[in-house]
């Protein structure tokens, strides 16, 4: 037995009555000890994992459809289907199922599904009756036929029997013949009965009946029957629409007649399901599941047939990218490709991979560059939909293409820049297209879907490319709308008026909000690249201009951008914020908001609460030093008092650290004392000064000994290797009248040994102070002064 005979796709029916592809594998039937019976097993062809393990139950109704499908229900809401690559494989498994259930393999359904409510009705049907008795197909019996068809819909058993009867006697074509007679005679009563009959036959949910009803010579008569709904005053003109209004456009002539027929059939059946048939009730919603499956598998077949026709697709893309192609023709081609991509969603994953790779090889991305830049709104919308399919399928494929472009084109026509410009220039007042494009851009710049396993440098290379060639296009509207901030700053100072550069136009404000959302995403995920860009462009200052916008949502977007930056707790960002005094527009917005308790108020307070809770010392000191007077009156939250408290605690802790540092040092040996530097904090406080005076007599002798032993020590400080004096006398001399008469003590030039501090208590801020000490050593040092 060849592998292809057993090759199957496994489908399950989801809650939306759509078939989900569960994978491709090879099916077998074998006895499973755990399940105590012959079971169907499907193992994935990719890794051998078990896709399906289903016991062939004696009570389950299995159906064979379209020669290569076997469908059954495992539970009330769990339908399964096996789609075979070859008819022979389907027949083989079907025979095994029938053998287990003791049925004739010639039937298309193994047995009638029976539930508890059916068991009582089962006795009503004579066991010897294999088929429902159909009335003769005559005009006078149409009412009787309609009553029969509608009466069996509530009974699964009778539905099955009626379906078999309709198939065995060629009844469908006879009924459709009566339809033509009734229409010629304008027999409205008969036409109304035929509507009920055809609708009921559709609700029998049988693929074998659909094959007959949707064939070329029957489907238009079926549509005609469905025009005569008794509830309508006038019949609908569905056939007129399908034959005259709906035009089948062959953008490139289709030579395969079977393919053309399949496309026509699928469109018409989809029209019947979506337009003609009324929305099914809860009771009826499962009646058309096979119709949905019929359409689904037709689409799979159409995509496969088109994809295999290399000449057809090659011609499509050749004309799409040809400059000589006129606009109307290109519009048709783009719409075809869009529908083609939409149909591809029915393919199983590996086939979908092959489909999009085929499109990529044919040049779908260069073609999109052309059509996305066209003036035609319909073309641009269709191109955007195609682009979304490609990005959803493989962001890496799109990134790889755009990174190759700068070698052969200029920035303006780069695909990503074309997408950004489409987002910026969206004419829709609600910016529906811009929102869609923004989502696609975010997917493209998201490092989470940049696969390191396939290309380790993709993240680095693409982000470098994006910030070099594209970021300036994305931020252009933002920078343009905040361009005059500096010139208007002097006029605005001290004023609470709205900054005139902020956009009053709602559409512009909404666009800036979208751009800020993307930039906020970049701050969170790109770290180095966006940090460099923000610093170079002074971007945060420009963004915070929007805190003055009359559109609160835009002010909130600007605040969210700053909040995300502060949330990183990066000292580079913190120093940038402090140096630029960038809390000022935020605090002005808080004060301008007054006593209104709204989202802006809460968001600003949350920003400061975060700084307090996370104890970001540099920002706390900056806020308290510069803005506390303006904020101390806000008492309905404890945030700002808390910031002041943190600030005071830090000052006290530093003071205590200095005192402990001095006391610990005094316990060292005399030799070790000579290693300590005299370049500690200058303002040690009164306690240290008093201690210096008390210990002066003990330490003076040591100073003098050190002085005698250092002939060249006077210049040690300037060389950055100043000797260290005992801590007891390292404090700055108090500012009193004797300060002017003190003498400078020169000490030996001895290298600083930082390892001598190991025994001391370590504080998180010691490292910062050591750096400050080193900076001070680059200039002439302040030497300790002693009173005479």
């Amino acid at each position: 037995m060849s592998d292809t005979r057993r090759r199957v796709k496994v489908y399950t029916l989801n809650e939306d009555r759509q078939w989900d592809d569960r994978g491709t594998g090879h099916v077998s039937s074998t006895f499973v000890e755990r399940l105590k019976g012959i079971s169907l097993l499907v193992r994935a062809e990719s890794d051998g994992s078990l896709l399906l393990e289903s016991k062939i139950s004696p009570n389950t109704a299995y159906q064979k459809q379209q020669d290569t499908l076997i469908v059954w229900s495992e539970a009330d809401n769990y339908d399964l289907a096996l789609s075979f690559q070859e008819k022979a494989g389907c027949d083989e498994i079907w025979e095994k199922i029938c053998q287990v259930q003791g049925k004739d393999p010639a039937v298309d359904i193994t047995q009638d599904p029976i539930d508890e409510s059916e068991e009582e009705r089962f006795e009503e049907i004579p066991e010897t009756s294999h088929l429902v008795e159909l009335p003769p197909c005559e005009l006078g019996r149409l009412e009787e036929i309609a009553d029969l068809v509608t009466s069996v819909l509530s009974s699964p058993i009778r539905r099955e029997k009626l379906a078999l009867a309709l198939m065995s006697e060629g009844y469908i074509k006879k009924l459709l013949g009566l339809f033509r007679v009734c229409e010629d005679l304008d027999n409205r009563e008969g036409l109304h009965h035929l509507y009920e009959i055809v609708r009921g036959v559709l609700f029998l949910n049988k693929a074998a009946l659909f094959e007959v009803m949707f064939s070329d010579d029957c489907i238009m008569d079926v549509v005609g029957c469905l025009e005569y709904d008794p509830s309508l005053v006038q019949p609908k003109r569905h056939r007129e629409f399908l034959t005259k209004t709906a035009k089948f456009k062959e953008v490139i002539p289709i030579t395969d007649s079977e393919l053309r027929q399949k496309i026509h059939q699928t469109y018409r059946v989809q029209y019947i399901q979506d337009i003609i048939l009324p929305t099914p009730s809860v009771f009826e919603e499962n009646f058309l599941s096979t119709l949905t499956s019929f359409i689904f598998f037709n689409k799979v077949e159409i995509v496969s047939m088109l994809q295999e026709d290399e000449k057809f697709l090659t011609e499509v893309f050749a004309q799409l990218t040809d400059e000589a192609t006129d606009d109307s023709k290109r519009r048709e081609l783009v719409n075809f490709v869009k529908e083609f991509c939409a149909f591809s969603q029915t393919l199983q994953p590996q086939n979908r991979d092959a489909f999009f790779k085929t499109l990529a090889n044919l040049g779908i991305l260069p073609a999109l560059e052309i059509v996305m830049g066209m003036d035609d709104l319909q073309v641009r919308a269709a191109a955007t939909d195609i682009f979304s399919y490609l990005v959803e399928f493989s962001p890496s494929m799109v990134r790889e293409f755009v990174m190759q472009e700068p070698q052969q084109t200029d920035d303006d026509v780069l695909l990503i820049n074309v997408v950004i410009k489409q987002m910026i220039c969206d004419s829709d007042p609600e910016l529906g297209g811009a929102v869609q494009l923004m989502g696609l851009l975010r997917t493209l710049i998201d490092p989470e879907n940049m696969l390191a396993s396939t290309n380790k440098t993709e993240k680095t290379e693409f982000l470098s490319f994006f910030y070099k060639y594209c970021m300036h296009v994305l931020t252009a509207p933002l920078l343009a709308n905040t361009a005059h901030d500096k010139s208007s700053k002097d006029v605005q100072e001290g004023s609470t008026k709205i900054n005139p550069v902020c956009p009053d136009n709602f559409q512009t404000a909404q666009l800036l909000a979208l751009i800020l959302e993307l930039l906020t995403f970049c701050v969170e995920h790109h770290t180095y690249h966006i940090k460099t860009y923000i610093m170079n462009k002074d971007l945060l200052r420009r963004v915070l201009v929007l805190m003055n916008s009359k559109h609160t949502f835009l002010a909130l977007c600007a605040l969210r951008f700053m909040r995300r930056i502060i949330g990183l707790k990066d000292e580079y960002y913190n120093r940038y914020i402090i140096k630029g005094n960038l809390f000022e527009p935020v605090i002005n917005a808080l004060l301008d908001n007054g006593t209104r308790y709204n989202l802006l108020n809460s968001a600003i307070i949350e920003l400061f609460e975060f700084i307090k809770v996370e104890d970001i010392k540099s920002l706390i000191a900056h806020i308290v030093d510069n803005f506390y007077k303006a904020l101390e009156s806000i008492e309905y939250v404890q945030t700002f008092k808390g910031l002041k408290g943190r600030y005071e605690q830090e000052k006290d802790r530093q003071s205590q650290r200095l005192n402990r540092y001095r006391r610990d040092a005094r316990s060292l040996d005399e030799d070790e004392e000579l290693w300590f530097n005299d370049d500690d904090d200058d303002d040690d406080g009164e306690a240290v000064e008093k201690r210096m005076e008390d210990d002066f007599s003990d330490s003076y002798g040591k100073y003098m000994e050190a002085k005698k032993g250092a002939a060249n020590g006077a210049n040690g400080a300037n060389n950055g290797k100043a000797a260290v004096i005992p801590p007891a006398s390292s404090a700055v001399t108090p500012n009193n009248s004797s300060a002017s008469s003190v003498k400078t003590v020169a000490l030996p030039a001895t290298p600083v040994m930082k390892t001598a501090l190991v025994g001391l208590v370590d504080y998180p801020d010691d490292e910062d102070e050591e750096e400050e000490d080193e900076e001070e050593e680059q200039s002439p040092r302040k030497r300790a002064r002693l009173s005479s």
Side-chain angles (χ1 to χ4, degrees):
M1 183 185 304
S2 64
D3 284 342
T4 54
R5 288 180 63 184
R6 291 289 185 94
R7 193 164 183 262
V8 296
K9 290 184 283 188
V10 180
Y11 291 94
T12 58
L13 199 64
N14 62 28
E15 294 178 355
D16 298 325
R17 311 306 298 172
Q18 300 292 322
W19 287 102
D20 291 336
D21 185 357
R22 295 302 183 189
T24 302
H26 293 86
V27 65
S28 62
S29 57
T30 184
F31 183 82
V32 177
E33 181 66 32
R34 180 173 58 82
L35 299 177
K36 305 296 184 187
I38 301 293
S39 303
L40 297 176
L41 304 179
V42 180
R43 294 197 176 274
E45 65 180 2
S46 57
D47 57 8
S49 60
L50 200 61
L51 295 177
L52 175 69
E53 185 180 61
S54 173
K55 180 182 176 182
I56 302 175
S57 170
N59 300 320
T60 298
Y62 292 84
Q63 295 182 57
K64 187 167 72 163
Q65 302 175 6
Q66 301 179 22
D67 291 333
T68 56
L69 280 173
I70 296 177
V71 182
W72 73 98
S73 296
E74 288 276 301
D76 290 342
N77 294 312
Y78 188 62
D79 291 356
L80 287 162
L82 292 181
S83 176
F84 289 78
Q85 182 169 331
E86 295 186 9
K87 179 180 183 297
C90 182
D91 292 341
E92 189 178 333
I93 294 299
W94 183 250
E95 287 178 11
K96 191 68 177 178
I97 292 170
C98 292
Q99 180 185 341
V100 172
Q101 294 197 343
K103 302 293 181 181
D104 182 358
V107 300
D108 287 335
I109 181 165
T110 57
Q111 60 183 277
D112 301 322
I114 302 174
D115 55 26
E116 293 179 3
S117 61
E118 284 299 315
E119 289 178 1
E120 299 174 3
R121 298 179 190 166
F122 190 68
E123 297 174 1
E124 300 173 8
I125 305 171
E127 294 183 5
T128 57
S129 175
H130 296 293
L131 298 176
V132 170
E133 189 71 30
L134 285 169
C137 193
E138 300 170 358
L139 283 177
R141 309 294 289 271
L142 285 176
E143 184 175 2
E144 187 180 344
I145 298 170
D147 290 342
L148 172 63
V149 171
T150 53
S151 68
V152 303
L153 293 179
S154 60
S155 167
I157 294 173
R158 301 191 70 194
R159 283 208 310 268
E160 298 295 339
K161 292 184 180 295
L162 177 60
L164 291 171
L166 290 169
M167 282 300 298
S168 64
E169 298 181 18
Y171 210 80
I172 299 292
K173 290 190 176 183
K174 294 178 183 177
L175 284 170
L176 296 176
L178 287 181
F179 163 72
R180 291 190 288 272
V181 173
C182 286
E183 198 164 42
D184 290 341
L185 298 173
D186 197 20
N187 181 352
R188 288 303 175 96
E189 184 180 358
L191 292 171
H192 289 164
H193 289 318
L194 282 165
Y195 170 87
E196 298 291 348
I197 293 167
V198 170
R199 181 173 177 271
V201 172
L202 288 173
F203 281 165
L204 292 178
N205 208 24
K206 299 302 170 192
L209 293 176
F210 292 161
E211 292 287 352
V212 176
M213 298 173 75
F214 300 148
S215 61
D216 277 352
D217 54 344
C218 291
I219 190 165
M220 296 310 290
D221 288 333
V222 169
V223 172
C225 291
L226 293 171
E227 289 180 354
Y228 292 94
D229 185 345
S231 64
L232 300 176
V233 177
Q234 289 294 328
K236 296 287 187 180
R237 298 179 178 271
H238 296 302
R239 283 172 295 174
E240 183 178 332
F241 175 82
L242 289 172
T243 55
K244 296 179 181 178
T245 309
K247 298 294 184 183
F248 177 60
K249 295 179 179 178
E250 293 184 76
V251 290
I252 304 294
I254 296 175
T255 55
D256 188 338
S257 59
E258 183 185 353
L259 173 59
R260 190 188 296 107
Q261 185 273 334
K262 188 70 70 176
I263 292 171
H264 283 303
Q265 184 189 60
T266 305
Y267 176 77
R268 290 164 179 169
V269 176
Q270 187 91 58
Y271 183 85
I272 289 172
Q273 184 186 46
D274 295 343
I275 307 298
I276 300 178
L277 291 176
T279 304
S281 65
V282 175
F283 174 71
E284 298 169 338
E285 65 180 354
N286 293 330
F287 284 1
L288 294 174
S289 59
T290 305
L291 184 62
T292 303
S293 304
F294 186 92
I295 296 168
F296 175 86
F297 290 114
N298 261 19
K299 289 181 177 179
V300 171
E301 197 170 345
I302 289 169
V303 173
S304 300
M305 292 171 77
L306 280 172
Q307 192 178 342
E308 290 166 6
D309 191 343
E310 293 181 5
K311 184 179 179 182
F312 177 84
L313 285 181
T314 303
E315 185 64 23
V316 167
F317 282 93
Q319 291 197 24
L320 191 60
T321 54
D322 188 351
E323 292 181 2
T325 304
D326 61 64
D327 291 348
S328 60
K329 180 71 171 179
R330 186 173 279 116
R331 188 182 307 125
E332 292 175 1
L333 289 163
V334 171
N335 284 325
F336 165 77
V337 176
K338 174 189 168 183
E339 290 298 317
F340 194 31
C341 290
F343 272 36
S344 74
Q345 301 307 295
T346 61
L347 295 173
Q348 56 183 327
Q350 59 266 40
N351 288 352
R352 193 156 60 241
D353 290 355
F355 170 82
F356 280 110
K357 285 175 183 173
T358 300
L359 291 188
N361 293 335
L362 290 168
I364 182 70
L365 288 166
L368 282 178
E369 274 186 337
I370 296 172
V371 295
M372 288 189 81
M374 291 177 65
D375 295 331
D376 192 312
L377 291 176
Q378 289 184 340
V379 169
R380 289 212 305 264
T384 300
D385 289 338
I386 297 168
F387 186 65
S388 68
Y389 284 123
L390 294 170
V391 172
E392 182 182 349
F393 164 70
S394 176
S396 291
M397 181 179 77
V398 178
R399 285 191 286 260
E400 184 180 355
F401 169 76
V402 298
M403 281 192 289
Q404 295 169 353
E405 290 183 287
Q407 304 166 8
Q408 54 196 349
T409 186
D410 57 86
D411 291 3
D412 289 339
V413 294
L414 291 177
L415 179 59
I416 291 191
N417 285 348
V418 171
V419 172
I420 293 172
K421 287 174 184 175
Q422 288 300 322
M423 184 180 88
I424 292 171
C425 301
D426 187 6
S427 58
D428 178 8
E430 296 298 323
L431 294 186
V435 171
Q436 181 187 8
L437 290 169
M438 189 271 290
L440 297 175
L441 281 173
R442 183 160 61 182
T443 301
L444 287 174
I445 64 176
D446 186 355
E448 295 297 322
N449 60 47
M450 297 181 187
L451 303 177
S453 57
T454 56
N455 185 354
K456 292 184 179 179
T457 61
E458 181 183 15
K459 178 179 177 181
T460 305
E461 287 183 357
F462 180 74
L463 291 182
S464 298
F465 161 84
F466 181 78
Y467 280 86
K468 181 177 180 180
Y469 294 104
C470 309
M471 184 57 105
H472 67 280
V473 182
L474 178 65
T475 56
L478 179 65
L479 298 176
N481 280 281
T482 57
H484 304 292
D485 180 38
K486 292 182 180 179
S487 62
S488 62
K489 198 170 182 182
D490 297 335
V491 181
Q492 294 285 322
E493 193 168 356
S495 170
T496 60
K497 292 182 180 179
I498 293 176
N499 194 317
V501 303
C502 286
D504 287 337
N505 178 278
F506 173 78
Q507 189 170 350
T508 305
Q510 201 174 15
L511 173 64
L512 295 184
L514 285 177
I515 294 171
L516 278 176
E517 188 175 337
L518 265 179
L519 292 175
T520 304
F521 178 85
C522 293
V523 166
E524 191 170 4
H525 292 89
H526 292 174
T527 57
Y528 165 75
H529 291 88
I530 189 66
K531 184 193 299 184
T532 305
Y533 191 84
I534 289 173
M535 302 294 186
N536 290 343
K537 298 289 185 181
D538 197 12
L539 189 63
L540 181 56
R541 180 186 305 281
R542 303 289 282 273
V543 168
L544 290 176
V545 171
L546 302 176
M547 292 294 296
N548 295 317
S549 174
K550 73 173 186 179
H551 300 285
T552 307
F553 72 87
L554 183 56
L556 285 166
C557 286
L559 182 66
R560 190 181 304 119
F561 180 70
M562 185 179 191
R563 170 66 175 81
R564 190 72 82 244
I565 289 174
I566 290 174
L568 296 176
K569 296 188 285 189
D570 185 321
E571 275 304 311
Y572 283 102
Y573 276 131
N574 293 346
R575 285 198 286 270
Y576 163 65
I577 291 170
I578 292 168
K579 185 177 179 181
N581 195 31
L582 298 181
F583 277 109
E584 184 177 3
V586 177
I587 290 172
N588 284 340
L590 176 65
L591 298 176
D592 291 345
N593 191 60
T595 58
R596 284 174 290 179
Y597 181 54
N598 52 17
L599 186 56
L600 181 64
N601 174 276
S602 299
I604 293 174
I605 288 175
E606 190 278 334
L607 172 70
F608 290 106
E609 184 70 21
F610 175 82
I611 294 169
K612 183 193 80 174
V613 170
E614 295 297 326
D615 196 17
I616 305 175
K617 295 180 176 59
S618 56
L619 296 184
I620 291 174
H622 172 71
I623 294 165
V624 174
D625 284 341
N626 294 278
F627 303 108
Y628 188 70
K629 287 184 179 179
L631 298 171
E632 63 182 342
S633 61
I634 299 177
E635 296 182 343
Y636 53 86
V637 289
Q638 297 302 306
T639 300
F640 301 107
K641 285 189 176 181
L643 284 171
K644 183 67 180 292
R646 289 272 192 187
Y647 178 75
E648 299 293 347
Q649 287 174 8
E650 179 62 19
K651 288 186 68 175
D652 293 344
R653 196 176 67 78
Q654 289 185 4
S655 176
Q656 291 171 9
R657 184 189 62 77
L658 283 172
N659 291 340
R660 186 180 301 179
Y661 178 84
R662 305 303 176 200
R663 288 197 299 273
D664 290 347
R666 290 191 62 195
S667 65
L668 299 177
D669 295 338
E670 292 181 6
D671 293 340
E672 290 175 324
E673 287 178 357
L674 294 177
W675 293 93
F676 280 96
N677 199 335
D678 65 335
D679 191 37
D680 284 24
D681 295 344
D682 291 334
D683 47 352
D684 295 345
E686 294 178 4
V688 180
E689 293 164 10
K690 185 176 186 306
R691 195 175 68 210
M692 181 193 72
E693 293 173 3
D694 294 341
D695 295 340
F696 175 73
S697 59
D698 293 336
S699 60
Y700 184 70
K702 298 172 186 175
Y703 273 94
M704 298 309 295
E705 289 177 11
K707 183 178 179 182
K708 292 174 184 178
N712 299 321
N715 296 324
N718 292 329
N719 296 329
K721 297 182 179 180
V724 183
I725 63 172
S729 57
S730 65
V732 174
T733 305
N735 293 324
N736 53 32
S737 58
S738 63
S740 60
S741 61
V742 298
K743 296 179 181 179
T744 300
V745 179
L747 298 179
T750 311
V752 177
M753 297 292 288
K754 296 197 183 232
T755 53
L757 299 175
V758 170
L760 303 179
V761 178
D762 187 25
Y763 290 94
D765 295 332
D766 286 348
E767 186 178 342
D768 295 338
E769 293 188 0
E770 287 168 11
E771 291 175 0
E772 292 170 8
D773 292 347
E774 289 174 8
E775 291 173 5
E776 289 182 12
E777 287 174 6
Q778 302 305 316
S779 58
R781 296 166 52 90
K782 297 179 181 178
R783 296 178 175 80
R785 297 177 183 273
L786 306 175
S787 300
S788 56

